[in-house]
Amino acid sequence: MARFLPLFLWLFSLAWAQFDPTRSWFTLRTEHFDIHYHTGLERVAAEVALHAEEAYALLSQDFEPPPNRLNLVVADVGDVRNGFADPTQNRIGVYTAQFRSADLLNPRLSSWWQTVVFHEVAHLFDLTQVRGPLKEATRIFGQLPAQSAVKPFPFVEGTVLYLKYKKLGESRLNDATTRMMLRQMVLSGRFPSLDEIRQAYTRAAWPPLGLLVYNYSAWLVRYLEERFGQDAYRRLTEANAGMLALKDFNQPFRQAFGLSLDELYADFVRWLPGQFEGEIAEIRARGLTPTEQLSRLGFYSQGATDSASGLVYAHTSPLRQGLRILAGGGERELLNGPAQHPQWSPDGRYLIFVRESEGPYFVGSDLYRYDRLEGRLERLTQGERVYYARYAPDGRSIFLAKNTPDGSSELARYFVDLKRVQPLRSFPHQDGVVHSFAVAPDGNSLVLALLRRGGFQDLYRYTLASGGLEALTQDRNVEADPAFSPDGQYVLYSSDVNRVYNLYAYRLSDGAVLQVTNLLTGAYQPTFSHTGEHIVFSGYDESGYNLYRVPYDPAAWRRVGLQRETLPAFRPPEPAQGEPYNPFSYLRPLYWLPLAGPSGLGLGASFSASDPVGLHAYALSVGLDGSRGAFYDLTYRYAGLGFPLGVRLVGIGEQNAQGVGVLLPLLQGSLGLQYLRTDLFEPALNPNRNTVTHAVGLDVFRQSSLADDLFRSSASLRLQGSAFLREGSSAWRFSLQGALGISLRLPLEAAHVFGLRLAGGLTTSPLAYDAFDLGVLPLTVGGWPALAVRGYAPGQLRGGQALAGSLEYRLPPWPIERGVGNWPVFLDDLSLALFADGGVAGSPLELSRARFSLGAELRLSLTLFYLAPGSSLALGGAQGIGEPAPRFYLSLVLPGL
């Protein structure tokens, strides 16, 4: 059984499709794109098509267009804002959700569609460039996975943000959040090293990797063009696109500019302060607002809400996630887990917030309520897609902002006692996406921060009785997170006037705008202390975002004049009239690769393809092996049933195997079912001819986790069972294997982790061939099997029944965070683990024959080719108790294995 178990397990790595394949899909064809969309997104598809062709035309001015047509899939995948580009398949994905986009992106372009479509199309242009001999090879092999896609992270994401700024005038490069982060770096005199921004890795310091490789790195690309001219990045691309992926990345820089990447980055760090020193001086000249810092955990500490019970805020960092409370001179975690935009009820008993839940094809957000007195958490809505909520003054209802399938938003009202949602107003065609809102003290109106077409995010007053909407501000500044003063005279909000976020107040009596704060960094998400004496807000410092407060003193505010601007005209496009989606027309492979035979001799070819939506996917390797004859390996996955159905056919010479199976979702886990037939030559079973085996398998996987502030615990359970029959025998045999893993992280700042693994196996087969072997090979790829005892060789612990366990203590990892020069290898961290293993195997099991070992393991975490973290190399040794000498092993783990 152990010999064909790896073939049996192939099914359970089946991947889910990227998009929900059970929907009705359609295709709209343009000059260069096939736009794929599902029912309900006809107008979105028509608009996306216009922006895709616009981006194509702009980018063609600087780059050779990608080969072949481009596929763009636009879909509602739930309440997540993102997109992606896959240069290996010429595929782009665009998600419709765009609520609170100003929290992450620069919202000043005409629409979310222009922002995200240009971004992803630019990726395909940039990452598919090929030059020189490599381009000649494409005449033979087709559209090879581009060498240009393998490069340091700043020249993947930073490049696209710079190109968007260069071609469209706005991107995260020049938004207020990026400028704030860079001003803080200039003020502190501390800038990230090249090693800190070059690749993906487990960064645990501020700024997080996302801000460094997107926002910060966009300025690195801008520096190149300001120093070497507007064609600088094109010259770098020309040089890099003609080189192999495995190289010192100084090479394309020396070819393009005569200087190494290291030399240019050092000069960039000297250049950058000069871009912000004038801005810093201007802010200081206006007089800085004194503030009092309330929290000190940094990272993302936001969304404060105060009551007599305490000041609560949402916190997210690598160490913690949840709602925290400041009360009685101390701070503690109130509720663990993801939570956003909390607010106390008027009586201070309940706390509402929004939280996401994830399924195979959909991420949905809903409203939750925490009862402070009973310590009870209740989910108030189900499937309502609530992303922002605020209490009515009487506490009997809650106003909601909801996401819709096409990315528009709706206002609604939830009645607490009735547990019902009443629609209030919709904002169709994404012209009026609600960012946030405040409820007036009299409960008769709301002030909304509303993102309109043309990149205008302004304040609007919505009157409940009439449903009328009145613009309070109308300019290109980004207004967000309004809050009424306790007396109802002012609406406080954050705004990025002059690309610097500060707090402002809108006086309702005469429409005057007053500046409340003047800070060197920024101020966000204002609220009032429960006494009404202070304004509490989220500010920025070297550790990220923290809570601050200033006195509520309208007399100290400075009136500012903001010019009112005209909204651009917007007319929604006519709905797309696409044709029914045909996945089979996209299954032609874009490239093929030569392949050696399994024995190292002979020659073959491999290729793969999938349709853009993901209904069908396949991979095929076929050829002749020099010593064993023809070989083939065909894998096919079908996802049209809503879950993956897979088929695999493998053969070499006279040996072959066939399998079919499905993977079904479970709550916090999955269920896999498979049938497998093998026709293999196994001398231990029959030295004269092949043995044919039929097997039916089951795989159940569950996982769960608990957390409390710094403490973390996780558990996983996997059960694998099979029934198999060999031709020539009438007796079915059975095998069952299970493993339980538990991990406990101690509640300390440093990561001290204890791990426990318990596993067992049982087979009814009397053959040694089917027995479990707990011994460990000296070299493994892909990690350890659950049934293993380090310190013992294969064959020492073997039997039809087996038990094994391990207790491990992992010390805090030592961060290395260094690249091997500018080669595509990065050393992330080094960790040490001490362990004790034990196990017994036999037929039958005799516990008196249990064996134990003690050992240690060093594990080096790696990132390969800049964008592939998760690899590791482990060197360990274990001394079996009673064994004459320790045994050493080397283990290599690669992503996907």
Side-chain angles (χ1 to χ4, degrees):
M1 179 65 180
R3 289 290 298 276
F4 75 82
L5 187 60
L7 275 176
F8 171 72
L9 292 180
W10 72 266
L11 166 68
F12 305 122
S13 63
L14 276 175
W16 295 87
Q18 186 78 41
F19 304 101
D20 186 350
T22 64
R23 285 173 157 163
S24 296
W25 290 87
F26 299 88
T27 299
L28 172 67
R29 301 184 188 279
T30 69
E31 182 180 359
H32 301 104
F33 291 85
D34 287 356
I35 311 293
H36 310 288
Y37 61 95
H38 56 74
T39 302
L41 300 185
E42 290 79 10
R43 290 187 188 272
V44 171
E47 187 171 355
V48 162
L50 296 175
H51 288 300
E53 289 294 347
E54 174 196 46
Y56 194 99
L58 289 171
L59 292 162
S60 295
Q61 298 169 2
D62 296 335
F63 299 95
E64 289 188 9
N68 303 304
R69 293 180 62 80
L70 306 183
N71 290 288
L72 194 158
V73 184
V74 58
D76 174 26
V77 300
D79 305 322
V80 56
R81 299 153 294 185
N82 212 339
F84 68 88
D86 178 4
T88 67
Q89 296 293 330
N90 278 0
R91 182 175 66 151
I92 290 169
V94 169
Y95 305 156
T96 59
Q98 50 198 278
F99 60 94
R100 292 189 68 96
S101 59
D103 295 356
L104 302 174
L105 310 171
N106 184 340
R108 285 182 168 89
L109 291 176
S110 67
S111 67
W112 162 257
W113 311 122
Q114 185 183 33
T115 299
V116 68
V117 168
F118 184 95
H119 188 104
E120 304 306 343
V121 173
H123 271 315
L124 284 193
F125 268 78
D126 179 46
L127 300 179
T128 57
Q129 298 299 302
V130 184
R131 298 290 187 276
L134 294 175
K135 189 170 185 177
E136 292 301 316
T138 63
R139 301 178 187 275
I140 301 173
F141 299 108
Q143 183 182 334
L144 293 170
Q147 301 294 321
S148 292
V150 181
K151 55 186 174 182
F153 223 161
F155 305 106
V156 177
E157 298 298 351
T159 290
V160 169
L161 291 190
Y162 173 72
L163 290 173
K164 192 186 304 182
Y165 166 77
K166 180 179 178 180
K167 296 293 186 180
L168 302 179
E170 297 285 352
S171 79
R172 274 174 277 179
L173 180 146
N174 64 328
D175 73 1
T177 300
T178 301
R179 299 189 69 88
M180 174 184 69
M181 177 181 68
L182 296 179
R183 282 197 308 275
Q184 179 61 57
M185 290 181 182
V186 172
L187 289 166
S188 66
R190 284 188 283 272
F191 299 90
S193 68
L194 187 55
D195 279 319
E196 290 180 272
I197 69 171
R198 188 167 30 212
Q199 59 284 304
Y201 65 105
T202 54
R203 181 175 174 83
W206 184 270
L209 188 62
L211 287 176
L212 291 180
V213 301
Y214 284 81
N215 308 46
Y216 175 79
S217 294
W219 280 78
L220 175 58
V221 183
R222 178 179 184 176
Y223 154 79
L224 291 177
E225 297 228 325
E226 292 205 5
R227 177 172 176 181
F228 297 103
Q230 289 296 298
D231 66 341
Y233 188 75
R234 182 186 59 77
R235 287 155 53 196
L236 176 62
T237 297
E238 296 279 348
N240 181 56
M243 298 179 181
L244 294 175
L246 186 61
K247 61 178 177 292
D248 179 350
F249 212 79
N250 283 319
Q251 294 177 26
F253 276 88
R254 287 197 179 100
Q255 181 173 320
F257 309 120
L259 295 168
S260 69
L261 174 56
D262 298 282
E263 291 170 319
L264 288 170
Y265 186 75
D267 189 61
F268 163 69
V269 172
R270 291 189 293 267
W271 170 84
L272 192 57
Q275 312 307 305
F276 293 92
E277 288 167 350
E279 187 174 276
I280 291 170
E282 289 179 7
I283 296 172
R284 280 183 167 144
R286 291 192 291 268
L288 300 179
T289 304
T291 62
E292 179 186 355
Q293 187 169 349
L294 302 178
S295 70
R296 299 189 180 276
L297 293 180
F299 282 64
Y300 293 97
S301 298
Q302 300 173 314
T305 178
D306 195 28
S307 76
S309 303
L311 178 64
V312 169
Y313 69 95
H315 176 82
T316 302
S317 70
L319 294 178
R320 299 175 174 90
Q321 185 180 44
L323 297 181
R324 303 187 66 81
I325 184 168
L326 294 163
E331 178 175 347
R332 63 181 176 86
E333 185 176 84
L334 181 66
L335 192 66
N336 188 269
Q340 295 178 308
H341 316 303
Q343 188 195 30
W344 283 111
S345 60
D347 62 5
R349 174 173 177 175
Y350 298 103
L351 196 68
I352 57 169
F353 60 92
V354 294
R355 173 176 286 180
E356 294 177 348
S357 57
E358 187 171 351
Y361 299 113
F362 195 85
V363 177
S365 58
D366 273 296
L367 181 66
Y368 291 76
R369 182 176 69 174
Y370 175 73
D371 187 330
R372 176 182 60 84
L373 298 181
E374 298 182 5
R376 180 170 55 89
L377 181 63
E378 179 185 5
R379 184 171 183 171
L380 297 184
T381 65
Q382 190 85 348
E384 292 289 342
R385 308 186 68 170
V386 178
Y387 63 86
Y388 197 82
R390 286 295 179 260
Y391 268 106
D394 61 6
R396 299 175 61 184
S397 63
I398 303 168
F399 292 97
L400 314 175
K402 299 168 50 179
N403 191 22
T404 67
D406 72 348
S408 301
S409 62
E410 296 177 348
L411 278 178
R413 193 171 190 172
Y414 176 82
F415 292 93
V416 176
D417 293 336
L418 298 177
K419 299 183 178 181
R420 293 180 58 186
V421 176
Q422 175 193 40
L424 294 178
R425 176 172 179 140
S426 62
F427 299 88
H429 312 306
Q430 310 89 45
D431 187 18
V433 178
V434 178
H435 175 276
S436 45
F437 59 84
V439 184
D442 61 10
N444 293 325
S445 64
L446 281 66
V447 169
L448 316 174
L450 201 63
L451 178 61
R452 300 293 303 275
R453 291 298 188 123
F456 284 73
Q457 183 163 303
D458 295 295
L459 299 183
Y460 287 76
R461 178 160 45 193
Y462 171 71
T463 304
L464 288 170
S466 66
L469 198 65
E470 173 194 3
L472 303 182
T473 64
Q474 193 166 292
D475 51 51
R476 294 306 299 271
N477 303 314
V478 179
E479 270 92 66
D481 297 300
F484 275 91
S485 61
D487 57 12
Q489 295 186 44
Y490 299 94
V491 176
L492 266 72
Y493 60 97
S494 64
S495 181
D496 68 343
V497 178
N498 299 321
R499 306 284 171 138
V500 179
Y501 269 110
N502 272 297
L503 301 186
Y504 290 81
Y506 182 92
R507 191 161 56 204
L508 291 165
S509 61
D510 61 1
V513 175
L514 303 102
Q515 185 170 350
V516 178
T517 65
N518 183 55
L519 302 178
L520 282 168
T521 52
Y524 302 80
Q525 300 181 355
T527 190
F528 286 87
S529 63
H530 72 281
T531 63
E533 298 176 350
H534 291 90
I535 302 168
V536 180
F537 64 93
S538 183
Y540 185 85
D541 55 46
E542 280 190 275
S543 62
Y545 295 89
N546 277 303
L547 299 188
Y548 295 80
R549 72 178 184 182
V550 295
Y552 175 49
D553 182 12
W557 302 344
R558 180 176 62 89
R559 185 164 182 167
V560 296
L562 300 176
Q563 183 176 358
R564 200 172 184 90
E565 301 181 46
T566 303
L567 288 175
F570 168 69
R571 180 181 177 181
E574 293 299 316
Q577 300 292 325
E579 59 192 49
Y581 177 70
N582 177 15
F584 299 105
S585 62
Y586 300 98
L587 294 181
R588 178 181 63 85
L590 298 180
Y591 63 90
W592 67 276
L593 294 173
L595 183 71
S599 68
L601 302 174
L603 186 64
S606 68
F607 52 88
S608 62
S610 65
D611 68 275
V613 171
L615 274 78
H616 306 274
Y618 72 90
L620 175 62
S621 298
V622 62
L624 289 173
D625 185 80
S627 62
R628 303 170 68 182
F631 66 88
Y632 61 90
D633 186 347
L634 171 64
T635 301
Y636 167 76
R637 185 209 67 198
Y638 175 65
L641 301 175
F643 52 84
L645 169 67
V647 175
R648 188 174 185 184
L649 309 176
V650 183
I652 180 169
E654 296 182 354
Q655 302 187 80
N656 57 80
Q658 304 83 37
V660 61
V662 297
L663 185 64
L664 304 172
L666 296 177
L667 182 64
Q668 296 182 311
S670 61
L671 169 66
L673 302 170
Q674 175 176 309
Y675 164 74
L676 179 70
R677 176 189 180 276
T678 63
D679 185 351
L680 304 175
F681 179 62
E682 298 289 356
L685 296 175
N686 190 327
N688 299 316
R689 59 185 179 87
N690 287 3
T691 299
V692 177
T693 303
H694 301 270
V696 179
L698 169 74
D699 177 278
V700 180
F701 177 73
R702 293 291 302 273
Q703 60 183 354
S704 62
S705 62
L706 295 172
D708 184 7
D709 206 347
L710 290 170
F711 173 76
R712 298 285 186 274
S713 70
S714 62
S716 63
L717 175 66
R718 168 151 263 151
L719 297 175
Q720 297 171 338
S722 67
F724 57 98
L725 174 70
R726 294 192 174 97
E727 292 186 3
S729 170
S730 60
W732 281 88
R733 304 296 183 181
F734 303 92
S735 179
L736 179 65
Q737 182 175 328
L740 171 67
I742 299 174
S743 176
L744 302 175
R745 184 192 188 279
L746 299 183
L748 303 170
E749 292 283 342
H752 295 266
V753 179
F754 285 91
L756 175 66
R757 170 178 54 84
L758 300 174
L762 168 68
T763 179
T764 61
S765 172
L767 302 179
Y769 176 85
D770 298 317
F772 298 98
D773 193 334
L774 308 188
V776 173
L777 295 168
L779 178 64
T780 63
V781 177
W784 299 112
L787 285 167
V789 180
R790 288 164 286 190
Y792 292 88
Q796 285 188 268
L797 300 173
R798 188 179 179 91
Q801 301 172 36
L803 294 173
S806 178
L807 180 64
E808 183 174 279
Y809 166 56
R810 295 193 291 274
L811 282 73
W814 172 51
I816 302 174
E817 298 181 359
R818 293 290 183 271
V820 180
N822 280 292
W823 290 84
V825 177
F826 178 77
L827 313 181
D828 190 348
D829 59 46
L830 184 67
S831 59
L832 173 65
L834 307 176
F835 60 84
D837 286 0
V840 60
S843 303
L845 202 65
E846 297 180 26
L847 296 180
S848 60
R849 300 179 61 186
R851 297 293 182 264
F852 301 91
S853 66
L854 299 173
E857 178 184 281
L858 277 174
R859 183 172 295 272
L860 177 65
S861 297
L862 304 168
T863 295
L864 303 178
F865 296 103
Y866 307 113
L867 305 182
S871 299
S872 65
L873 182 66
L875 174 63
Q879 175 64 58
I881 306 302
E883 292 296 297
R887 290 183 56 84
F888 297 93
Y889 61 86
L890 188 66
S891 174
L892 176 63
V893 175
L894 299 173
L897 293 181

